[in-house]
Amino acid sequence: MARLRGRGVAAVNYPTGMNLGGDPSQALVHATTTGSFVITLSSVDLGQGIKTVAAQICAEALGVPYDTVMVDTADTDTGPHCMGTFASRGTHRIGNAVIMAAREAREVMLNVAATELEVDAGDLVTDGKGRIHVNGAPDKGIAVLDVALAAHFKHGKTISGRGIFLKPKSEVVAETGEMDPDSCQAHACTVAEVEVDDETGEVAVLKMTNAYEIGRAVNPALAHQQIVGGAWMGISHALYETTEPYYPDRSHGALDFSEYLMPGPGDLAEMNSVIIERPASNGPYGAKGIGEMTANSPIPAIANAIFDACGVRVTSMPITPEKILRGLDVLRGRTN
């Protein structure tokens, strides 16, 4: 009996958003009297970091410090419209809507600043640090806070903007089946290294090496965390998770999460990941979606690595020790 090592590779491409019904998302941006900005969304943050990314995108579009931007994810009763958090669409759809809203608010902000400075708004720039000044003349400027105060209490203006991103619905060409189902495609490749115990059928995922092409990483730290989290999910789907292991016989199904099998922290493989940036022409600052595909490529990579290690090809998930042992019995001529 031995512990057999193998390596497997899998590559995937993954669509950003759906284009079967328009799939719009809306954002609102407004300034407060303290010179900070609030983004109002109905887009749910599931832990993937959409609130952080939306604030970054808004700050960039406005030309103000990131820490002066707040995000209010309201609800579907009180917030602007959003189709939902699905299809790896969050950064792409919401980011584009935020840019539109922020640019509209920026225009009002610069017009108020121009009035206060008695200059043309087209001559003004923001320094990203909370100040607006004449291009080429940093000393002739005004703080964003003072612009917000002047807008509210002197000029009676609202520094605000609205944005909605919508890619028109793609209809199917009946003659060919051709259509445009998404906004852009992200890509990934995973190399998995595993160890298979040919006596027990147990599999240990030792190492994963990943390359992700995601347009542009608005927040590289969050993107890397998603890759790690997705890899954990991929390992879990590939080797552990099943509600009914002997379906349709339900006698051995998990009754609660204390019995539902998932990998623990010690089961996560060593991770080496790189992000490749090839900006999408229609993405917010070039960004594509990354969320869901981080759990995709690890699964076939693990299956291929198991095959490389012991010669057993399992085509249904999860790849349990029982399935591996049965496969080994077939290879060894023991079919009873």
Side-chain angles (χ1 to χ4, degrees), residues 29-32 35-39 62 64 68-70 105 109 144 159:
V29 173
H30 76 271
T32 71
S36 60
F37 289 83
V38 179
I39 310 169
L62 285 168
V64 301
T68 64
V69 179
M70 299 174 286
M109 178 177 69
V144 172
I159 299 177

Side-chain angles (χ1 to χ4, degrees), residues 8 98 124 185 229 290 327 329:
V98 167
L124 295 177
Q185 298 266 336
I290 181 177
D329 281 345

Side-chain angles (χ1 to χ4, degrees), residues 27-76:
L28 305 175
V29 173
H30 76 271
T32 71
T33 55
T34 63
S36 60
F37 289 83
V38 179
I39 310 169
T40 305
L41 304 170
S42 291
S43 310
V44 178
D45 194 323
L46 302 176
Q48 79 277 30
I50 190 60
K51 294 176 73 173
T52 300
V53 169
Q56 286 183 260
I57 290 172
C58 184
E60 180 71 19
L62 285 168
V64 301
Y66 164 78
D67 58 9
T68 64
V69 179
M70 299 174 286
V71 180
D72 174 22
T73 49
D75 57 44
T76 53

Side-chain angles (χ1 to χ4, degrees), residues 150-158:
H152 282 87
F153 299 111
K154 185 176 177 181
H155 302 286
K157 289 189 175 182
T158 301

